[in-house]
Short mmCIF file of all heavy atoms in Angstrom, two decimals:
data_model
loop_
_atom_site.label_atom_id
_atom_site.label_comp_id
_atom_site.label_asym_id
_atom_site.label_seq_id
_atom_site.Cartn_x
_atom_site.Cartn_y
_atom_site.Cartn_z
N ASP A 24 0.83 -1.21 0.00
CA ASP A 24 0.00 0.00 0.00
C ASP A 24 0.86 1.26 0.00
O ASP A 24 0.57 2.21 -0.72
CB ASP A 24 -0.94 0.02 1.20
CG ASP A 24 -2.06 -1.00 1.08
OD1 ASP A 24 -2.37 -1.42 -0.04
OD2 ASP A 24 -2.63 -1.36 2.14
N GLN A 25 1.91 1.28 0.80
CA GLN A 25 2.80 2.44 0.84
C GLN A 25 3.47 2.66 -0.52
O GLN A 25 3.58 3.79 -0.99
CB GLN A 25 3.89 2.26 1.90
CG GLN A 25 3.39 2.33 3.32
CD GLN A 25 4.47 1.93 4.32
OE1 GLN A 25 5.35 1.11 4.03
NE2 GLN A 25 4.39 2.50 5.52
N ALA A 26 3.91 1.57 -1.14
CA ALA A 26 4.57 1.67 -2.43
C ALA A 26 3.62 2.20 -3.50
O ALA A 26 3.98 3.10 -4.27
CB ALA A 26 5.13 0.31 -2.85
N VAL A 27 2.41 1.68 -3.55
CA VAL A 27 1.44 2.13 -4.55
C VAL A 27 1.11 3.61 -4.32
O VAL A 27 1.04 4.39 -5.28
CB VAL A 27 0.17 1.25 -4.52
CG1 VAL A 27 -0.95 1.88 -5.35
CG2 VAL A 27 0.48 -0.14 -5.04
N ASN A 28 0.92 4.02 -3.08
CA ASN A 28 0.64 5.43 -2.79
C ASN A 28 1.79 6.33 -3.22
O ASN A 28 1.58 7.40 -3.80
CB ASN A 28 0.35 5.64 -1.31
CG ASN A 28 -1.01 5.11 -0.91
OD1 ASN A 28 -1.91 4.98 -1.73
ND2 ASN A 28 -1.15 4.78 0.36
N LYS A 29 3.01 5.91 -2.95
CA LYS A 29 4.18 6.69 -3.34
C LYS A 29 4.28 6.81 -4.86
O LYS A 29 4.54 7.89 -5.40
CB LYS A 29 5.45 6.05 -2.76
CG LYS A 29 6.68 6.88 -2.93
CD LYS A 29 7.83 6.28 -2.13
CE LYS A 29 9.05 7.19 -2.21
NZ LYS A 29 10.16 6.71 -1.39
N ILE A 30 4.04 5.70 -5.55
CA ILE A 30 4.09 5.71 -7.02
C ILE A 30 3.00 6.61 -7.59
O ILE A 30 3.24 7.41 -8.50
CB ILE A 30 3.96 4.27 -7.56
CG1 ILE A 30 5.16 3.44 -7.14
CG2 ILE A 30 3.80 4.27 -9.08
CD1 ILE A 30 4.97 1.94 -7.29
N GLU A 31 1.79 6.52 -7.05
CA GLU A 31 0.69 7.36 -7.53
C GLU A 31 0.99 8.84 -7.31
O GLU A 31 0.65 9.67 -8.16
CB GLU A 31 -0.63 6.95 -6.87
CG GLU A 31 -1.16 5.64 -7.40
CD GLU A 31 -2.41 5.15 -6.70
OE1 GLU A 31 -2.66 5.56 -5.53
OE2 GLU A 31 -3.14 4.36 -7.32
N ASN A 32 1.63 9.19 -6.20
CA ASN A 32 2.00 10.58 -5.95
C ASN A 32 3.03 11.07 -6.97
O ASN A 32 2.95 12.21 -7.44
CB ASN A 32 2.52 10.77 -4.53
CG ASN A 32 1.42 10.73 -3.50
OD1 ASN A 32 0.28 11.05 -3.80
ND2 ASN A 32 1.75 10.33 -2.29
N ILE A 33 3.99 10.23 -7.31
CA ILE A 33 4.98 10.59 -8.31
C ILE A 33 4.31 10.79 -9.67
O ILE A 33 4.62 11.74 -10.40
CB ILE A 33 6.09 9.51 -8.41
CG1 ILE A 33 6.88 9.44 -7.10
CG2 ILE A 33 7.00 9.76 -9.60
CD1 ILE A 33 7.73 10.64 -6.79
N ILE A 34 3.38 9.91 -10.01
CA ILE A 34 2.66 10.06 -11.28
C ILE A 34 1.91 11.38 -11.33
O ILE A 34 1.95 12.10 -12.34
CB ILE A 34 1.69 8.88 -11.51
CG1 ILE A 34 2.46 7.57 -11.70
CG2 ILE A 34 0.78 9.13 -12.71
CD1 ILE A 34 1.58 6.33 -11.66
N LYS A 35 1.23 11.73 -10.25
CA LYS A 35 0.48 13.00 -10.19
C LYS A 35 1.38 14.20 -10.39
O LYS A 35 1.01 15.17 -11.03
CB LYS A 35 -0.24 13.13 -8.84
CG LYS A 35 -1.45 12.28 -8.70
CD LYS A 35 -2.07 12.49 -7.32
CE LYS A 35 -3.09 11.42 -7.02
NZ LYS A 35 -3.59 11.51 -5.64
N LYS A 36 2.59 14.15 -9.82
CA LYS A 36 3.51 15.28 -9.88
C LYS A 36 4.31 15.35 -11.18
O LYS A 36 4.93 16.37 -11.47
CB LYS A 36 4.47 15.23 -8.70
CG LYS A 36 3.79 15.45 -7.37
CD LYS A 36 4.76 15.31 -6.23
CE LYS A 36 4.05 15.42 -4.89
NZ LYS A 36 4.96 15.19 -3.77
N ALA A 37 4.31 14.28 -11.96
CA ALA A 37 5.10 14.25 -13.19
C ALA A 37 4.54 15.23 -14.21
O ALA A 37 3.34 15.28 -14.45
CB ALA A 37 5.11 12.83 -13.77
N ASP A 38 5.44 16.03 -14.81
CA ASP A 38 5.00 16.95 -15.84
C ASP A 38 5.28 16.38 -17.23
O ASP A 38 5.70 15.23 -17.36
CB ASP A 38 5.63 18.34 -15.64
CG ASP A 38 7.14 18.34 -15.79
OD1 ASP A 38 7.70 17.40 -16.37
OD2 ASP A 38 7.77 19.31 -15.32
N ARG A 39 5.04 17.17 -18.26
CA ARG A 39 5.17 16.69 -19.64
C ARG A 39 6.59 16.30 -20.02
O ARG A 39 6.78 15.57 -20.99
CB ARG A 39 4.67 17.77 -20.62
CG ARG A 39 3.20 17.95 -20.64
CD ARG A 39 2.45 16.86 -21.36
NE ARG A 39 2.92 16.66 -22.72
CZ ARG A 39 2.87 15.50 -23.36
NH1 ARG A 39 2.38 14.45 -22.77
NH2 ARG A 39 3.31 15.39 -24.58
N SER A 40 7.59 16.79 -19.30
CA SER A 40 8.96 16.44 -19.63
C SER A 40 9.31 15.01 -19.20
O SER A 40 10.28 14.44 -19.67
CB SER A 40 9.94 17.43 -19.01
OG SER A 40 9.89 17.35 -17.60
N THR A 41 8.52 14.43 -18.31
CA THR A 41 8.76 13.06 -17.84
C THR A 41 8.02 12.08 -18.74
O THR A 41 6.82 12.21 -18.95
CB THR A 41 8.28 12.90 -16.39
OG1 THR A 41 8.96 13.83 -15.57
CG2 THR A 41 8.52 11.48 -15.89
N TYR A 42 8.74 11.13 -19.31
CA TYR A 42 8.09 10.13 -20.15
C TYR A 42 8.13 8.73 -19.56
O TYR A 42 7.44 7.83 -20.05
CB TYR A 42 8.65 10.15 -21.57
CG TYR A 42 10.10 9.76 -21.70
CD1 TYR A 42 10.48 8.43 -21.81
CD2 TYR A 42 11.09 10.73 -21.73
CE1 TYR A 42 11.80 8.08 -21.93
CE2 TYR A 42 12.42 10.38 -21.86
CZ TYR A 42 12.77 9.06 -21.97
OH TYR A 42 14.08 8.71 -22.09
N ARG A 43 8.88 8.54 -18.48
CA ARG A 43 8.99 7.19 -17.91
C ARG A 43 9.26 7.28 -16.42
O ARG A 43 10.03 8.12 -15.97
CB ARG A 43 10.12 6.44 -18.60
CG ARG A 43 10.16 4.98 -18.33
CD ARG A 43 11.18 4.31 -19.23
NE ARG A 43 10.72 4.34 -20.60
CZ ARG A 43 10.44 3.26 -21.33
NH1 ARG A 43 10.61 2.07 -20.81
NH2 ARG A 43 10.03 3.37 -22.57
N ILE A 44 8.61 6.40 -15.66
CA ILE A 44 8.89 6.27 -14.24
C ILE A 44 9.38 4.85 -14.01
O ILE A 44 8.68 3.88 -14.31
CB ILE A 44 7.63 6.56 -13.39
CG1 ILE A 44 7.17 8.00 -13.61
CG2 ILE A 44 7.91 6.28 -11.91
CD1 ILE A 44 5.85 8.33 -12.96
N ARG A 45 10.59 4.75 -13.51
CA ARG A 45 11.23 3.45 -13.26
C ARG A 45 11.06 3.12 -11.78
O ARG A 45 11.60 3.81 -10.92
CB ARG A 45 12.70 3.51 -13.65
CG ARG A 45 13.44 2.21 -13.50
CD ARG A 45 14.82 2.31 -14.10
NE ARG A 45 14.72 2.53 -15.53
CZ ARG A 45 15.46 3.39 -16.22
NH1 ARG A 45 16.36 4.13 -15.62
NH2 ARG A 45 15.30 3.53 -17.52
N VAL A 46 10.31 2.05 -11.50
CA VAL A 46 10.05 1.64 -10.11
C VAL A 46 10.97 0.47 -9.79
O VAL A 46 10.90 -0.59 -10.43
CB VAL A 46 8.58 1.23 -9.92
CG1 VAL A 46 8.34 0.84 -8.48
CG2 VAL A 46 7.64 2.36 -10.35
N ILE A 47 11.81 0.66 -8.79
CA ILE A 47 12.73 -0.39 -8.35
C ILE A 47 12.10 -1.01 -7.11
O ILE A 47 12.03 -0.39 -6.05
CB ILE A 47 14.12 0.19 -8.04
CG1 ILE A 47 14.66 0.92 -9.27
CG2 ILE A 47 15.07 -0.91 -7.58
CD1 ILE A 47 15.83 1.82 -9.00
N HIS A 48 11.61 -2.24 -7.27
CA HIS A 48 10.88 -2.89 -6.18
C HIS A 48 11.53 -4.17 -5.71
O HIS A 48 11.17 -4.71 -4.68
CB HIS A 48 9.44 -3.18 -6.60
CG HIS A 48 9.30 -3.83 -7.93
ND1 HIS A 48 9.65 -5.14 -8.17
CD2 HIS A 48 8.87 -3.32 -9.10
CE1 HIS A 48 9.42 -5.42 -9.45
NE2 HIS A 48 8.95 -4.33 -10.04
N GLY A 49 12.50 -4.68 -6.43
CA GLY A 49 13.16 -5.93 -6.05
C GLY A 49 12.29 -7.13 -6.40
O GLY A 49 11.13 -7.00 -6.77
N PHE A 50 12.89 -8.32 -6.28
CA PHE A 50 12.13 -9.53 -6.57
C PHE A 50 12.47 -10.69 -5.66
O PHE A 50 11.82 -11.73 -5.71
CB PHE A 50 12.31 -9.93 -8.05
CG PHE A 50 13.70 -10.39 -8.40
CD1 PHE A 50 14.03 -11.73 -8.41
CD2 PHE A 50 14.67 -9.46 -8.71
CE1 PHE A 50 15.30 -12.14 -8.73
CE2 PHE A 50 15.95 -9.87 -9.05
CZ PHE A 50 16.26 -11.20 -9.05
N HIS A 51 13.45 -10.54 -4.81
CA HIS A 51 13.85 -11.65 -3.95
C HIS A 51 12.81 -12.00 -2.90
O HIS A 51 12.74 -13.13 -2.45
CB HIS A 51 15.20 -11.36 -3.28
CG HIS A 51 16.34 -11.40 -4.23
ND1 HIS A 51 16.74 -12.55 -4.87
CD2 HIS A 51 17.17 -10.43 -4.67
CE1 HIS A 51 17.76 -12.29 -5.65
NE2 HIS A 51 18.04 -11.01 -5.55
N ARG A 52 12.02 -11.06 -2.49
CA ARG A 52 11.00 -11.31 -1.47
C ARG A 52 9.61 -11.43 -2.06
O ARG A 52 8.61 -11.22 -1.38
CB ARG A 52 11.03 -10.20 -0.43
CG ARG A 52 12.32 -10.20 0.34
CD ARG A 52 12.30 -9.18 1.43
NE ARG A 52 13.60 -9.18 2.08
CZ ARG A 52 13.76 -9.09 3.36
NH1 ARG A 52 12.73 -8.96 4.15
NH2 ARG A 52 14.97 -9.09 3.88
N GLY A 53 9.52 -11.74 -3.32
CA GLY A 53 8.22 -11.90 -3.97
C GLY A 53 7.91 -10.72 -4.88
O GLY A 53 8.65 -9.76 -4.95
N ASN A 54 6.80 -10.84 -5.55
CA ASN A 54 6.44 -9.80 -6.52
C ASN A 54 5.12 -9.11 -6.15
O ASN A 54 4.36 -8.73 -7.01
CB ASN A 54 6.38 -10.39 -7.92
CG ASN A 54 5.44 -11.56 -8.03
OD1 ASN A 54 4.89 -12.02 -7.04
ND2 ASN A 54 5.23 -12.04 -9.24
N HIS A 55 4.89 -8.93 -4.88
CA HIS A 55 3.64 -8.31 -4.42
C HIS A 55 3.50 -6.88 -4.94
O HIS A 55 2.42 -6.49 -5.39
CB HIS A 55 3.56 -8.31 -2.89
CG HIS A 55 3.67 -9.67 -2.30
ND1 HIS A 55 2.67 -10.61 -2.41
CD2 HIS A 55 4.67 -10.26 -1.61
CE1 HIS A 55 3.05 -11.72 -1.80
NE2 HIS A 55 4.27 -11.54 -1.31
N ILE A 56 4.57 -6.11 -4.86
CA ILE A 56 4.50 -4.72 -5.32
C ILE A 56 4.33 -4.67 -6.83
O ILE A 56 3.51 -3.90 -7.34
CB ILE A 56 5.74 -3.92 -4.86
CG1 ILE A 56 5.72 -3.78 -3.33
CG2 ILE A 56 5.80 -2.56 -5.53
CD1 ILE A 56 6.94 -3.14 -2.73
N GLN A 57 5.04 -5.51 -7.54
CA GLN A 57 4.89 -5.54 -9.00
C GLN A 57 3.45 -5.89 -9.39
O GLN A 57 2.86 -5.25 -10.26
CB GLN A 57 5.87 -6.55 -9.60
CG GLN A 57 5.82 -6.58 -11.12
CD GLN A 57 6.79 -7.60 -11.68
OE1 GLN A 57 7.00 -8.65 -11.08
NE2 GLN A 57 7.37 -7.29 -12.82
N ASN A 58 2.89 -6.89 -8.75
CA ASN A 58 1.49 -7.25 -9.04
C ASN A 58 0.54 -6.11 -8.72
O ASN A 58 -0.41 -5.86 -9.47
CB ASN A 58 1.09 -8.49 -8.24
CG ASN A 58 1.77 -9.75 -8.73
OD1 ASN A 58 2.24 -9.81 -9.87
ND2 ASN A 58 1.83 -10.75 -7.88
N ALA A 59 0.80 -5.40 -7.63
CA ALA A 59 -0.06 -4.27 -7.26
C ALA A 59 0.04 -3.13 -8.27
O ALA A 59 -0.95 -2.47 -8.57
CB ALA A 59 0.32 -3.76 -5.87
N ILE A 60 1.22 -2.93 -8.84
CA ILE A 60 1.38 -1.90 -9.87
C ILE A 60 0.47 -2.22 -11.05
O ILE A 60 -0.27 -1.36 -11.54
CB ILE A 60 2.85 -1.79 -10.32
CG1 ILE A 60 3.70 -1.21 -9.19
CG2 ILE A 60 2.97 -0.95 -11.59
CD1 ILE A 60 5.19 -1.29 -9.44
N TYR A 61 0.50 -3.45 -11.52
CA TYR A 61 -0.35 -3.84 -12.65
C TYR A 61 -1.83 -3.76 -12.27
O TYR A 61 -2.66 -3.31 -13.06
CB TYR A 61 -0.01 -5.26 -13.11
CG TYR A 61 1.22 -5.32 -13.97
CD1 TYR A 61 2.46 -5.60 -13.42
CD2 TYR A 61 1.14 -5.12 -15.34
CE1 TYR A 61 3.60 -5.66 -14.21
CE2 TYR A 61 2.26 -5.18 -16.14
CZ TYR A 61 3.49 -5.45 -15.58
OH TYR A 61 4.61 -5.51 -16.37
#
């Protein structure tokens, strides 16, 4: 939940000069954050 909220805040603040947001979430402890992003 914290990760999704943080990502959504970054998306809201992104202006037209930003074309990509790279989220580094790791994968050794599972893919819960990645699944939540999708």
Side-chain angles (χ1 to χ4, degrees):
D24 289 338
Q25 290 171 330
V27 169
N28 287 336
K29 188 170 185 176
I30 295 164
E31 287 176 337
N32 286 333
I33 295 292
I34 293 169
K35 285 179 193 174
K36 294 177 184 176
D38 64 18
R39 287 285 305 151
S40 65
T41 301
Y42 64 86
R43 192 171 291 244
I44 298 173
R45 183 171 296 137
V46 181
I47 304 165
H48 48 72
F50 67 96
H51 289 295
R52 294 184 183 221
N54 56 354
H55 303 289
I56 293 174
Q57 183 181 34
N58 289 340
I60 291 170
Y61 281 95

